[in-house]
Amino acid sequence: MPEPARLMALVPCAGSGARAGTEQPKQYQSIAGRMLVQHTLAALAAVARISRVLVVLAPGDATLGAQPGVETTHCGGATRAESVFNGLAHLRASGAADTDWVLVHDAARCLVTPALVDALIDDCLAKGEGGLLALPLPDTLKLAQGGRAVQTLAREGKWLAQTPQMFRLGPLHAALGAHAAAGFAGITDEASAMELASCQPLLVRGSALNLKVTYPEDFALAESILRSRAP
């Protein structure tokens, strides 16, 4: 009898975070008493069903250091998609099966909660399909040209993608690999690669608090939320 599929988390952590306006990569910025990425890893570690957490670092990056229950590999690429692709290859080479599930999560989404991760896992496992956390677009959407609004676009049926994004290792690796020769052009997240491979990922409702720390003002907001959760 084949072994049941395992659940693993992969955290690409090789980016520079240029839009954040910090001197060091934003994932290493101190927030609420620890590095931003450490909050991310703590949330994933609290999900008991995740058997393995892999952080993909840039070559030569020793900033994170050893973290309890976390593996690291220095195979980060020039883009997020390349880092994820390389991380998946590392998992395959180190014992993971193509049928195992991988939850890819942004290092900068430090406000994710174990409950949100569990909700994604529950829905994907129940339906036997890959999916992602996402939110229906709440605001009016504008098309811009030259810094001016030229058209209002319908927001019905449009969702804001979040992470984690959960797919079987083998199909996700193949879907990304199909675009490796082109430098992963057009691949903005794992779901986009799976869509181009003729899959239709599940949309599992996330949370507005599961924001990605991107701009300078996001740090104060994230810190406030993290401190409000402290026991």
Side-chain angles (χ1 to χ4, degrees):
M1 179 180 295
E3 294 185 2
R6 295 167 292 181
L7 288 97
M8 306 174 184
L10 190 158
V11 180
C13 193
S16 62
R19 289 177 293 178
T22 54
E23 292 184 3
Q24 60 184 342
K26 64 183 176 183
Q27 60 267 31
Y28 301 132
Q29 188 74 9
S30 179
I31 180 170
R34 38 198 326 201
M35 285 188 285
L36 187 151
V37 67
Q38 290 178 313
H39 293 286
T40 304
L41 296 175
L44 295 172
V47 181
R49 288 181 286 182
I50 295 178
S51 63
R52 188 175 177 186
V53 178
L54 177 68
V55 180
V56 180
L57 301 168
D61 182 0
T63 310
L64 180 61
Q67 301 294 313
V70 173
E71 303 172 47
T72 58
T73 178
H74 291 82
C75 62
T79 64
R80 180 185 184 282
E82 185 178 3
S83 293
V84 172
F85 180 67
N86 292 346
L88 293 172
H90 177 89
L91 288 173
R92 296 178 89 203
S94 56
D98 282 349
T99 52
D100 287 334
W101 294 95
V102 178
L103 290 90
V104 182
H105 185 64
D106 295 326
R109 288 192 189 271
C110 60
L111 298 176
V112 72
T113 63
L116 280 174
V117 180
D118 273 322
L120 176 65
I121 293 172
D122 287 343
D123 213 3
C124 289
L125 292 185
K127 295 180 174 68
E129 302 177 57
L132 64 150
L133 291 181
L135 274 182
L137 183 68
D139 299 316
T140 298
L141 185 63
K142 298 292 185 181
L143 178 65
Q145 290 182 4
R148 296 178 181 272
V150 297
Q151 185 180 351
T152 298
L153 305 178
R155 65 181 177 221
E156 287 74 23
K158 296 180 176 66
W159 290 60
L160 300 170
Q162 300 183 343
T163 66
Q165 301 192 2
M166 174 175 164
F167 299 99
R168 300 272 191 183
L169 193 162
L172 179 57
H173 184 260
L176 287 168
H179 302 274
F184 303 97
I187 303 301
T188 57
D189 62 0
E190 294 67 53
S192 66
M194 296 301 287
E195 291 155 15
L196 291 171
S198 300
C199 295
Q200 296 182 333
L202 297 170
L203 292 170
V204 180
R205 192 179 183 99
S207 167
L209 296 183
N210 185 25
L211 62 90
K212 184 177 182 180
V213 175
T214 304
Y215 300 108
E217 59 268 27
D218 294 337
F219 288 94
L221 177 58
E223 174 141 7
S224 178
I225 293 170
L226 287 167
R227 291 196 181 281
S228 73
R229 294 175 178 174

